[in-house]
Each structure stands twice: as C-alpha cells, then as structure tokens.
Amino acid sequence: MAIAVALFVIVIGSVLFHVFTPWWLTPLASNWGQMDHTLTITVVICGLFFVAINLFVVYVLWRYRHREGQRAAYEPEHRSLERWLIGVTTVGIVALLAPGLVVYADYVRPPSGAMELEVVGQQWQWRFRMPGADGKLGGSDARFVKAGNPLGLDPADAAGQDDVIVTGSEVHVPLNRPIKMILRSHDVLHDFFVPNFRARMNIVPGMVSGFWFTPTVVGRFESMCAQLCGVGHPNMRGAVVVEDPATYAKWLAQQPTFAQMQVPAARGSGVGDGQALAQAKGCLACHSVDGSRSVGPTWKGLMGKTETFEDGTTAVVDEGYLRRFIREPKPIKGFPPVMPKMEISDEELAALVAYIRAQSS
Ligand code: CUA
C-alpha cells in the first residue's frame, strides 16, 4: 500500500513540476516554432503514458493487495488485450517520430536565396565566413590551413578572395533573412547550438553538415558547443547578434576579407594587437588573464614564474621561453597536454608575447 501511495504522489508531483518548472524553453527567436510543437507533442505523449501506466500500477496494487484466503489466477494469454496494447503503442511511437521527421526534412533544406554562413569549429573556438560582394564562398581544403589562413581557403580561388572572415566567437546576422548554415570542423566532433533559434547540428570532421533558420527577433543570443569535445568544451561559447539590415551592413563592412588577411603588414605587434590575437586564436579559451584556473596556466603574473614540465625539468618563463613554447608546446605538470602547436607569424608571436608580458606587470 505504501508503494501505491508513493507512486501516486510521484505522478501528482511530476505533473505539478512540469506545470510550474522554471526550466522550460528560452524565448523563441527564429522561424522554428515547429521545433517547439514537436517537443510539446513528445512531452504530452510521454506524459500521458507516464501518468496512465503509473496510475494503472497504483490501481493494481490496491485492487489485488494481499488478502487472507485469496489466490492469484493464472492467465498466460490474453489475445485481445495484447492487440490493444500493440495498437496503442504503435500509434504512440508513430506520433512521437513522424512530426520530427517532417520538421527535420524542412530544417536541412534551405530556401533558395538564403544567405550563406559558414561556421568552423576547432578546439576550442569558433570561426565564421560569409561570401563577399560576389555572393559566393570560395573553395577550401584542410591542406591550405596555415598562419593567416585558419579556415584553409584556396588561395587560387578568385571567389574566395572577398569572403568575409570572422575570427572571434561572435557573429552578426541580419533580421528576417533566411540563413543557410554550413558547418565544418578542424579536428573533432563539435555541435553548433543556439537555444533561442531552436537550431543545432553536429559538426563532424571530414564532413560538411548544415541547416537553415530565419532570425525573427533583434538581440544577442548565446551560442555554444553541444558535443563534449575535450577539456576546453565549456569554453566554446559565443553569440549570434541579430540586427536590422542597416546595422548589420555596417558591421559587415568592418570585417576583414580573406584577401586583406593575407597582407602581413596589416597587423602590428603591440599589446592591443596581442589581445586581439589571443582572442582570435582562441588562447583565451584556455588561459585566463585574471589569475583564475582554467585549462592552461593563467597569464596573470606568468612572466618570471618557474614552470615544471611533465618530465620533471623546469624553466623560468621569459620572452625566449614564451616564443619557443607557443610554437612548440611541452606538457606542463598539473595541466592536460592539449595545447596545440600554433601556426603563427613572427609579428603575431611578438604581439602575443607583448600581451602576455603586459599581464605580468
Ligand atoms: Cu566543441 Cu564541445
């Protein structure tokens, strides 16, 4: 009897929790209201089954409770009941799956005329690319990846020269324009996810995946990586800023094109350049500048410290050490050995070192 009462309380509690929970969907900011409908259908169907099955168990526990002199009847087959159960379950499963299939078919088929936006995931940062004035994205290949060409654009492809490159984790998009997302990964499995858009997709290395959406609300919406991709995974956050077309055009005009990025002199070697670089190269995903512990050592007060390596040797951090280490990292004791070799030019290296030095003074 106690179990029957407990189950009854669990059923009532679950329904009340669902009605009053603060953990429900974030406000919708895209065209994908259908995603919410499929979610509601799933919750309603699963909820009905959950309530019905548990209440049935409560009823059976009470109806067939132990009584003196009463024995259980043996009834191994009940054809009509089995048919009913199979029928109801089939209808339930179809109702769970079919709406999702319809929405997904639409979700991966962008309308013609959609604006292209490429997202490239890399441990542990995001980069973006959109077509320039010619409206076409240039070709890309992993073998072209190097300093100044982190997305591996084909330098010989004329269509790629005016492509706009965004090397931070924040990207802007115009309001009410369908956007065709093109997703690539540099290394491992990532997943680009913007909860307010109800849009996400796995990014599989060696594959190009995609989906589309139309932003319908102006604002700044958090984006994140939704596949565990290593120790820096929680740092793979960013934002999609939705703004009216005029503001968007202004922002777009400030972003460098691929051709502009190929001019080495465009970048200085001062502290400010170093900060921008640290941001763009994803260093700050793993190294804090406020002394807090992250994936790698903090840069605050790093200069002059003595680092101990995994192999037991030590070194004092000075400029020479930083220059060598950034190009040829060595596992440091107490930290995961995940620092990638940086593809970085001499000017960039000088700027980075200047920035790290500035965090120690
Ligand atoms: Cu990328 Cu998690």
Side-chain angles (χ1 to χ4, degrees), residues 303-325:
M303 278 288 182
K305 253 191 200 159
T306 304
E307 292 285 23
T308 309
F309 300 106
E310 274 300 339
D311 60 13
T313 57
T314 59
V316 174
V317 180
D318 56 17
E319 291 211 5
Y321 166 91
L322 285 176
R323 284 168 187 277
R324 282 193 308 278
F325 192 91

Side-chain angles (χ1 to χ4, degrees), residues 121-126 185 187-192 203 224-230 232-237:
Q122 181 179 7
Q123 285 175 322
W124 289 280
Q125 58 181 311
W126 298 107
S185 168
D187 35 39
V188 300
L189 185 65
H190 300 280
D191 186 308
F192 187 73
I203 313 183
M224 62 190 81
C225 180
Q227 285 289 358
L228 184 59
C229 55
H233 161 71
N235 297 332
M236 256 184 115
R237 314 184 105 178

Side-chain angles (χ1 to χ4, degrees), residues 3-80:
I3 292 180
V5 173
L7 272 181
F8 189 72
V9 170
I10 288 174
V11 169
I12 299 293
S14 302
V15 173
L16 287 178
F17 180 82
H18 175 75
V19 173
F20 293 108
T21 180
W23 298 299
W24 197 229
L25 297 166
T26 50
L28 179 69
S30 84
N31 59 313
W32 289 117
Q34 290 173 69
M35 296 280 184
D36 292 359
H37 300 153
T38 54
L39 188 68
T40 306
I41 292 172
T42 305
V43 168
V44 167
I45 292 174
C46 293
L48 286 178
F49 271 80
F50 174 81
V51 170
I53 290 170
N54 278 291
L55 290 184
F56 175 71
V57 173
V58 169
Y59 167 74
V60 168
L61 282 171
W62 169 78
R63 175 74 179 74
Y64 299 102
R65 66 189 180 279
H66 178 72
R67 273 177 289 200
E68 277 312 317
Q70 194 176 46
R71 293 201 52 177
Y74 179 59
E75 194 181 345
E77 291 278 356
H78 195 313
R79 293 275 169 175
S80 68

Side-chain angles (χ1 to χ4, degrees), residues 183-226:
L183 309 170
R184 288 198 290 133
S185 168
H186 248 302
D187 35 39
V188 300
L189 185 65
H190 300 280
D191 186 308
F192 187 73
F193 180 29
V194 185
N196 291 81
F197 298 158
R198 307 294 188 268
R200 59 184 286 176
M201 182 66 75
N202 275 357
I203 313 183
V204 187
M207 264 179 75
V208 176
S209 53
F211 63 88
W212 74 277
F213 71 99
T214 305
T216 54
V217 178
V218 168
R220 188 174 186 278
F221 302 104
E222 186 182 25
S223 65
M224 62 190 81
C225 180

Side-chain angles (χ1 to χ4, degrees), residues 117-179:
L117 173 58
E118 183 182 67
V119 182
V120 181
Q122 181 179 7
Q123 285 175 322
W124 289 280
Q125 58 181 311
W126 298 107
R127 293 192 183 91
F128 303 89
R129 174 165 70 119
M130 45 217 109
D134 64 355
K136 259 198 302 198
L137 285 174
S140 64
D141 194 295
R143 70 202 145 94
F144 298 125
V145 173
K146 64 176 175 72
N149 189 3
L151 298 185
L153 298 210
D154 182 351
D157 189 345
Q161 297 303 317
D162 64 350
D163 286 2
V164 174
I165 314 267
V166 180
T167 50
S169 53
E170 185 172 308
V171 71
H172 293 217
V173 292
L175 183 69
N176 289 333
R177 173 126 189 241
I179 296 168

